[in-house]
């Protein structure tokens, strides 16, 4: 069966993942369609990071299935590099390469991995810098940028690979409150452009605004999920209600 | 009771932590002090040599200086070549220690531990007595003089230490660097050579230079196995002067002085680099 873009972009079925004896994901399933934005929320340690790191094979997993555009991630013969070209990821700690300038950070992967032409890549990178509103910071080193600016470079760096899906793991959690919004705005722009996004976040207002679907995880299972209106205003599970009560 | 702790706490928190600047550091005047001490130590000996008919200590030393300097240059040549060889082999071994292949990793680890925990002098003896005095390949005879064997012997511990410096620098980088690079679809080789190792160079430079200083000072061990480096020549010079005990301190002070003049700037530069990199990262 050939994957078409009316099938889920990412399809997770009964995912189980353990670190040694610790079972972190206990049968997680979700489907993400092309152009959808989904938010995963839940208490710390509930396995949100582990879940999205399985999607781009940064973590392996014991059983279940993840299909990315129809390609099985749990396949021992999986070409991880091919998978990762399709799936971008942004981290809480930015993880920019400190020995490269902002624009070099963005250009590195297209040059070295995709082997694109330097002029094309430079043009692309300048466009992305503009998109994340960092004109003038091209030649700054990460150490010279604020957290919010670094995070936007990290988003641009990931976008430079022209991914089909973006994973965001609490990308505003390490930021000063003043800079959170500039990063959220960048993600909002992306969502509006139709990028498929899987976001782990604690920004409830933002989740309600941009998400098509919200998943609440606790101790390795999805407790409850639904569109934002239902999820936030008519949560049924006591664990969800308690969590929302603490956070809102 | 509670009140008291409340009073004490702010005081403790205000106690200034020692800043890096307050810690002990080599300063130029430390070097001057050492030189002055050396010279002062040789003065009594110089005065003891006022016996007419015997040449003054200073004149004798000046007379031997060119030879001693030649010996010292030999020490430097040994140190540089042992460092170059040890660094090449050690870098390979260090990368072996972080290889994904468990056999390579184990082998590199054992080799590193073995040579890192062996006394340098013992390794030197092994090299002297295990290596042949000449090497025959393809009908070609390559002689292996003693100094070359000593160079190999000293390169072994350098290799093991460089291996640890490389491994330590690589594992000291935050794992986020690997993850970010991997999620951008870089291959492992690319991650290592393009992202990880370039960042490690800065971290490796100070301990590597430190190692070089230690190696330079260890080259005098080669005198024990008969290489004509500066210590051997000093001993021969003293013997040629009839073993005059008043010459011992001036001669060995001169050797100390040579090593100091060579190693001290390296130590200064190491400290400077350490400081510079500490601020930036
Ligand atoms: N590499 C690892 N090795 C062992 N345990 C891990 C590892 N990564 C995460 N864990 C554990 O898995 C659980 C879920 O972690 P994580 O997915 O980071 O949760 P979240 O992102 O929801 O806070 C935690 O108990 C954590 O300690
Ligand atoms: Mg997390």
């Amino acid at each position: 069966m050939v994957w078409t873009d009316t099938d889920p972009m990412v399809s997770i079925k009964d995912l189980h993942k353990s670190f040694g004896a610790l079972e972190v994901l206990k049968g997680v399933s979700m489907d993400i369609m092309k152009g959808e934005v989904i938010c995963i929320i839940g208490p710390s340690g509930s396995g949100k990071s582990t879940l999205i790191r399985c999607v781009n094979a940064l973590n392996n997993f014991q059983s279940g299935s993840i299909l990315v555009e129809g390609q099985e991630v749990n396949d021992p013969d999986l070409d991880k590099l091919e998978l990762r070209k399709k799936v971008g990821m942004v981290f809480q700690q930015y993880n920019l390469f400190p020995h490269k300038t902002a624009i070099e950070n963005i250009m590195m992967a297209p040059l070295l991995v995709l082997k694109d032409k330097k002029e094309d890549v430079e043009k692309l990178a300048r466009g992305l810098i503009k998109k994340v509103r960092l004109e003038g910071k091209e030649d700054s080193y990460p150490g010279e940028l604020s957290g919010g600016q670094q995070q936007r470079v990290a988003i641009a760096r990931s976008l430079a690979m022209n991914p089909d899906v973006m994973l965001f793991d609490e990308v505003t959690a390490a930021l000063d409150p003043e800079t959170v919004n500039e990063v959220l705005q960048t993600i909002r722009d992306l969502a509006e452009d139709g990028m498929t996004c899987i976001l782990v976040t604690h920004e409830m207002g933002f989740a309600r605004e941009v998400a098509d679907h919200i998943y609440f995880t606790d101790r390795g299972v999805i407790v409850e999920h639904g569109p934002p209106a239902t999820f936030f205003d008519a949560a049924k599970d006591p664990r969800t209600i308690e969590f929302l009560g603490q956070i809102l | 009771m509670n009140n008291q702790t409340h009073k004490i706490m702010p005081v403790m928190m205000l106690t200034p932590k020692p800043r890096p600047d307050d810690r002990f550091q080599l300063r130029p005047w430390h070097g001057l002090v050492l030189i002055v001490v050396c010279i002062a130590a040789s003065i009594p000996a110089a005065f003891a040599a006022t016996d007419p008919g015997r040449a003054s200590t200073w004149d004798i030393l000046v007379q031997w200086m060119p030879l001693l300097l030649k010996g010292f240059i030999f020490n430097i040549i040994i140190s540089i070549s042992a460092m170059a060889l040890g660094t090449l082999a050690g870098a390979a071994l260090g990368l072996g220690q972080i290889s994904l292949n468990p056999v390579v990793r184990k082998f590199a680890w054992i080799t590193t531990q073995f040579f890192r925990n062996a006394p340098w002098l013992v390794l030197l003896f092994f090299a002297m007595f295990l290596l042949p005095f000449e090497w025959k390949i393809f009908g070609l005879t390559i002689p292996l003089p003693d100094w070359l064997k000593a160079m190999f012997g000293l390169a072994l511990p350098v290799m093991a230490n460089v291996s640890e410096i490389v491994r330590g620098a690589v594992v000291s980088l935050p794992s986020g660097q690997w993850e970010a690079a991997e999620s951008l679809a870089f291959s492992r080789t690319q991650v290592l050579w393009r992202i990880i190792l370039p960042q490690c160079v800065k971290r490796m430079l100070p301990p590597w230079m430190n190692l070089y200083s230690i190696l330079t000072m260890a080259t005098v061990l080669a005198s024990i196995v008969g290489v004509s480096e500066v210590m051997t020549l000093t001993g021969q010079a003293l013997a040629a002067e009839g073993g005059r005990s008043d010459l011992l301190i001036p001669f060995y002070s001169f050797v100390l002085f040579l090593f100091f003049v060579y190693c001290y700037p390296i130590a200064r530069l190491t400290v400077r680099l350490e400081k510079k990199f500490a601020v930036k990262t």
Side-chain angles (χ1 to χ4, degrees), chain A residues 48-50 92 169-170 200:
Chain A
K48 307 180 297 295
S49 300
T50 309
Q92 182 175 337
D169 190 359
E170 297 195 35
V200 173

Side-chain angles (χ1 to χ4, degrees), chain A residues 84 96-99 112, chain B residues 176-177 179 182 190 194 199:
Chain A
R84 288 169 183 163
L96 291 181
F97 307 132
H99 60 305
L112 295 171
Chain B
Q177 291 291 309
E179 290 169 0
E182 283 176 0
Q190 284 176 324
R194 301 293 191 148
Q199 294 183 56

Side-chain angles (χ1 to χ4, degrees), chain B residues 9-20:
Chain B
M9 276 306 284
V11 177
M12 282 169 59
M13 285 164 75
L14 283 175
T15 312
K17 276 191 192 155
R19 281 173 302 135

Side-chain angles (χ1 to χ4, degrees), chain A residues 53 56 81 84 91 95-99 108-109 112-113 157 161, chain B residues 176-177 179-187 190 194-195 198-199:
Chain A
R53 291 160 57 95
N56 70 344
L81 302 189
R84 288 169 183 163
F91 302 84
N95 297 344
L96 291 181
F97 307 132
H99 60 305
M108 253 185 124
L112 295 171
V113 177
R157 175 177 71 174
M161 292 293 281
Chain B
Q177 291 291 309
E179 290 169 0
E182 283 176 0
S183 66
L184 286 167
F186 283 106
S187 69
Q190 284 176 324
R194 301 293 191 148
I195 314 256
Q199 294 183 56

Side-chain angles (χ1 to χ4, degrees), chain B:
Chain B
M1 186 61 206
N2 238 335
N3 264 339
Q4 271 182 355
T5 41
H6 273 290
K7 270 182 205 148
I8 293 167
M9 276 306 284
V11 177
M12 282 169 59
M13 285 164 75
L14 283 175
T15 312
K17 276 191 192 155
R19 281 173 302 135
D21 293 4
D22 297 338
R23 275 180 304 165
F24 176 77
Q25 277 175 0
L26 279 177
R27 300 248 177 246
W29 64 265
H30 292 142
L32 288 176
V33 166
L34 192 93
I35 292 170
V36 168
V37 167
C38 285
I39 292 171
S42 57
I43 285 173
F47 277 107
T50 43
D51 189 355
R54 285 172 93 179
S56 87
T57 311
W58 180 249
D59 290 342
I60 296 173
L61 182 57
V62 167
Q63 203 185 319
W64 286 101
M65 265 184 199
L67 183 74
L68 298 186
L69 260 173
K70 249 193 230 158
F72 181 65
I73 288 168
F74 200 37
N75 286 65
I76 292 175
I77 291 171
I78 293 176
S79 74
I80 290 176
S81 45
M83 194 68 190
L85 189 68
T87 299
L88 279 179
L93 208 55
L95 292 178
Q97 284 204 81
I98 52 169
S99 161
L100 287 182
N101 182 327
V103 177
V104 173
R105 203 166 55 229
K106 259 268 136 44
F107 170 81
W109 182 81
I110 291 172
T111 313
T112 301
Q113 292 307 318
F114 180 79
F115 287 111
R116 223 167 85 92
N117 294 296
W120 291 34
L121 185 57
V122 179
L123 292 177
L124 193 58
F125 267 86
F126 263 97
M128 298 313 285
F129 300 121
L130 285 184
L131 291 174
F133 69 93
E134 57 184 24
W135 204 289
K136 285 201 175 77
I137 30 169
F138 308 124
L140 227 78
T141 309
I142 301 166
L144 271 186
D146 275 354
W147 72 268
L148 210 57
K149 291 203 233 171
M151 190 269 282
F152 279 115
L154 289 170
L156 287 174
V158 170
M159 169 189 79
N161 280 284
V162 168
S163 169
E164 270 305 279
I165 290 172
V166 170
R167 191 194 64 85
V170 169
V171 302
S172 76
L173 274 197
S175 62
Q177 291 291 309
W178 283 94
E179 290 169 0
E182 283 176 0
S183 66
L184 286 167
F186 283 106
S187 69
R188 190 181 159 86
T189 317
Q190 284 176 324
V191 180
L192 199 58
W193 288 94
R194 301 293 191 148
I195 314 256
I196 303 297
L197 291 177
Q199 294 183 56
C200 288
V201 171
K202 271 198 329 193
R203 288 163 193 246
M204 292 187 296
L205 208 51
W208 183 80
M209 285 166 57
N210 225 357
L211 180 62
Y212 177 66
S213 283
I214 294 171
L215 167 68
T216 305
M217 294 184 262
T219 52
V220 295
L221 293 176
S223 70
I224 301 174
V225 290
V227 176
S228 322
E229 49 68 70
V230 67
M231 280 295 275
T232 311
L233 293 179
T234 307
Q236 288 169 357
L238 286 169
E241 288 298 332
R244 273 170 54 181
S245 59
D246 60 311
L247 291 179
L248 287 177
I249 290 176
F251 268 66
Y252 285 115
S253 296
F254 179 66
V255 176
L256 266 184
F257 172 76
L258 289 177
F259 275 98
F260 181 81
V261 165
Y262 186 71
C263 290
Y264 180 74
I266 298 175
R268 289 284 309 156
L269 188 60
T270 310
V271 169
R272 225 196 294 130
L273 288 178
E274 262 168 1
K275 257 211 286 210
K276 194 172 137 205
F277 296 157
V279 176
K280 267 196 126 175
T281 43

Side-chain angles (χ1 to χ4, degrees), chain A residues 19 22 24 42-51 59 169-170 200 217:
Chain A
F19 289 108
L22 177 72
V24 174
S44 171
S46 61
K48 307 180 297 295
S49 300
T50 309
L51 172 63
N59 281 342
D169 190 359
E170 297 195 35
V200 173
T217 59

